[in-house]
Amino acid sequence: VQLQESGPRLVKPSQTLSLTCTVSGDSITTDSYYWTWIRQPPGKGLEWMGAIHSSGTTYYSPSLRSRTSMSRDTPKNKITLQLSSVTPEDTAVYWCARGVSGLGLEYWGQGTRVTVSS
């Protein structure tokens, strides 16, 4: 299973950050996996942002719920993340990963660094 994040590296404050996770080697609609977004701001720990289950159900971090939207393109086997009204505090490395209930995150993308700056 391989995951690859893509999207702009620089986003201006107040804009919407949009990232795509392209999955290969597995279908995002089969079995019972959680296709997850995680981020790590500079000098801080990992932060779970949310996930979209193989069934299509979405789960969001309470602290980011009001600004986060996750969706999927099933024919293209892609997961998308949108984070609105970004500020410099949203500067981070963003990863997508595949998770299994009780086992954690098995497969990770390489991550993409996003900077929020004017």
Side-chain angles (χ1 to χ4, degrees):
V1 179
Q2 293 186 322
L3 300 90
Q4 178 66 58
E5 304 88 351
S6 61
R9 300 294 185 94
L10 180 64
V11 182
K12 295 185 183 300
S14 80
Q15 292 186 340
T16 295
L17 180 161
S18 296
L19 295 175
T20 298
C21 176
T22 301
V23 178
S24 59
D26 192 13
S27 169
I28 62 173
T29 61
T30 59
D31 295 315
S32 184
Y33 296 127
Y34 294 86
W35 301 95
T36 306
W37 287 96
I38 310 101
R39 69 178 182 178
Q40 185 172 32
K44 298 185 179 181
L46 293 170
E47 179 181 20
W48 180 86
M49 301 182 68
I52 184 165
H53 187 258
S54 303
S55 65
T57 303
T58 52
Y59 305 86
Y60 299 117
S61 166
S63 64
L64 297 172
R65 181 186 306 274
S66 64
R67 300 195 292 130
T68 307
S69 177
M70 296 180 186
S71 60
R72 61 184 186 176
D73 184 337
T74 52
K76 295 183 179 179
N77 219 40
K78 295 182 178 182
I79 303 292
T80 61
L81 166 72
Q82 290 193 314
L83 182 67
S84 63
S85 304
V86 297
T87 72
E89 286 67 41
D90 293 309
T91 294
V93 177
Y94 288 76
W95 290 273
C96 60
R98 190 187 84 173
V100 180
S101 180
L103 296 179
L105 300 172
E106 301 175 299
Y107 297 98
W108 293 63
Q110 65 182 24
T112 185
R113 183 178 302 275
V114 179
T115 299
V116 179
S117 174
S118 56

